[in-house]
Amino acid sequence: MSHSANAATAERPVSTLRGASLPKWSPWAIAAGSLAVAVAIGLGAGLDSKVQWGLIAGLIFLVATYVIAASVEGRRQAKDRIATGLVWVAFLLAVVPLVSLVWVTISRGVKVLDVYFLTHSMGIVADSQPGGGIYHAIIGSLEQVGLATLIAAPIGILTAIYLVEYGRGRLARAVTFFVDVMTGVPSIVAGLFILSLMLIFELEPFGFAGSLALAILMMPVVVRSTEEMLKLVPNELREASLALGVPKWRTILKVVLPTSIGGITTGIMLAIARITGETAPVLLLVFGNRFINNNPFEGAQQSLPLYIYQQYAAGADASYDRAWAASLTLIAFVMILNLVARGIARWKAPKTGR
């Protein structure tokens, strides 16, 4: 009796809640097949653009994923795979142009990018002639962006502290509204505002004028990023400090700011990276200079974005090479700023542990 019962139990199929599923390598196989079909369609239809091939491959991938997943796993799991596929397609659509841009900039920028290019100015070199460099543009950009940071960072941080810690009523709402408006102000408008002041006081183009316009563009970014970082500080920390009888200003200085300093620094670095590539305010206010000018408060200066614009507009082969090399230098500068911001954020991040 016992032996027959055990035999019947062994023959009974084991129930499971899991249905049929595609293997893990199936998305890669579907992607490869979609790409092959898209290439065949592109060649057959005479489509020369690789972008069109990629869009066709993405559409085929989504359709094939849904059909195959629905037939094997069911419609519910197929919809989940479609959502995942849309994320991957959107990711590729964002990454491919970026990689293409970086590749073209590097391949064309390394032609003249060397120590001589980085340590010499244009001087008397004509735009159509080879030679010259970007030393004067690097000096101008560093001074203009540095002065803009010295102006915008303290004002932006103090404004964010007011909005988070003290701001109540109409004044706080008005400040928030104008910060939102300033966030969307085009760079040319900031340049025109400073230019109108220069015309009123009959001032000639100089580097600090560009710094003022860049500070206007940088300030709302600093305010918004700092405001969000201050809001992440737990209220329990503030309450514990105030319960000990510590004044509010000292609580902000000794508790709130040190806790959020990593995020605040990251926001400032990203704001600097944002204004580094602005061309319109510099074109209106700084005017450009072929020679080295170390004084931002007197005379026209050069900057990297304006240098790139002027060299590309010259239309000569030598000027094109200098423009691409300066673009590569600017990208490297912005990349370094972002890496520094990430490093500071990781270094100053609150320590977790038991």
Side-chain angles (χ1 to χ4, degrees), residues 18-343:
R18 295 187 59 185
S21 61
L22 294 174
K24 294 182 178 180
W25 48 264
S26 61
W28 299 101
I30 297 174
S34 302
L35 184 60
V37 174
V39 171
I41 294 175
L43 293 176
L47 301 177
D48 297 329
S49 176
K50 303 300 187 297
V51 176
Q52 294 175 325
W53 295 8
L55 294 176
I56 295 173
L59 181 61
I60 295 174
F61 172 77
L62 294 176
V63 174
T65 298
Y66 181 80
V67 172
I68 296 174
S71 61
V72 176
E73 300 175 332
R75 297 179 62 182
R76 182 175 181 179
Q77 187 64 23
K79 293 178 181 179
D80 180 74
R81 288 188 177 274
I82 280 291
T84 305
L86 286 173
V87 171
W88 278 103
V89 170
F91 169 74
L92 292 176
L93 289 176
V95 168
V96 170
L98 177 62
V99 173
S100 176
L101 172 65
V102 173
W103 172 254
V104 172
T105 305
I106 292 176
S107 61
R108 302 192 63 173
V110 295
K111 293 181 180 179
V112 297
L113 185 60
D114 52 18
V115 176
Y116 177 87
F117 183 74
L118 296 174
T119 56
H120 286 75
S121 65
M122 287 300 295
I124 59 173
V125 178
D127 290 337
S128 59
Q129 297 176 344
I134 58 170
Y135 179 75
H136 60 311
I138 294 175
I139 293 297
S141 287
L142 290 177
E143 290 181 348
Q144 294 159 27
V145 173
L147 290 172
T149 304
L150 291 178
I151 297 171
I155 296 176
I157 292 175
L158 292 175
T159 302
I161 291 175
Y162 166 75
L163 292 176
V164 175
E165 304 294 338
Y166 297 98
R168 301 292 183 275
R170 295 182 178 179
L171 180 59
R173 290 195 295 270
V175 172
T176 302
F177 172 76
F178 282 110
V179 169
D180 292 337
V181 172
M182 289 177 63
T183 304
V185 169
S187 59
I188 189 68
V189 176
L192 289 173
F193 172 71
I194 301 299
L195 180 62
S196 64
L197 297 178
M198 292 174 60
L199 295 177
I200 292 174
F201 294 102
E202 298 181 354
L203 298 176
E204 296 294 329
F206 61 110
F208 185 65
S211 299
L212 294 176
L214 295 179
I216 293 175
L217 299 174
M218 181 179 177
M219 217 173 298
V221 180
V222 176
V223 173
R224 275 287 165 256
S225 60
T226 304
E227 189 177 359
E228 294 302 322
M229 290 302 105
L230 294 178
K231 289 179 180 179
L232 292 178
V233 178
N235 285 327
E236 288 78 5
L237 295 178
R238 299 180 176 88
E239 294 170 356
S241 177
L242 296 174
L244 295 175
V246 180
K248 188 169 185 177
W249 68 269
R250 188 176 289 274
T251 298
I252 297 172
L253 188 63
K254 297 294 185 180
V255 177
V256 177
L257 287 179
T259 304
S260 58
I261 190 63
I264 293 174
T265 306
T266 302
I268 293 174
M269 289 290 183
L270 296 178
I272 294 174
R274 190 259 184 187
I275 66 171
T276 301
E278 292 293 343
T279 308
V282 180
L283 179 62
L284 289 174
L285 307 172
V286 181
F287 211 64
N289 193 343
R290 303 180 67 86
F291 296 91
I292 299 172
N293 180 13
N294 294 322
N295 186 3
F297 300 98
E298 182 180 359
Q301 265 193 326
Q302 188 62 275
S303 70
L304 280 173
L306 181 57
Y307 178 89
I308 296 169
Y309 169 76
Q310 291 175 341
Q311 290 298 310
Y312 201 85
D317 292 338
S319 64
Y320 286 154
D321 293 338
R322 286 191 292 265
W324 283 108
S327 301
L328 181 58
T329 305
L330 186 61
I331 290 177
F333 178 70
V334 174
M335 184 185 68
I336 291 172
L337 283 179
N338 281 273
L339 292 177
V340 170
R342 287 178 176 271

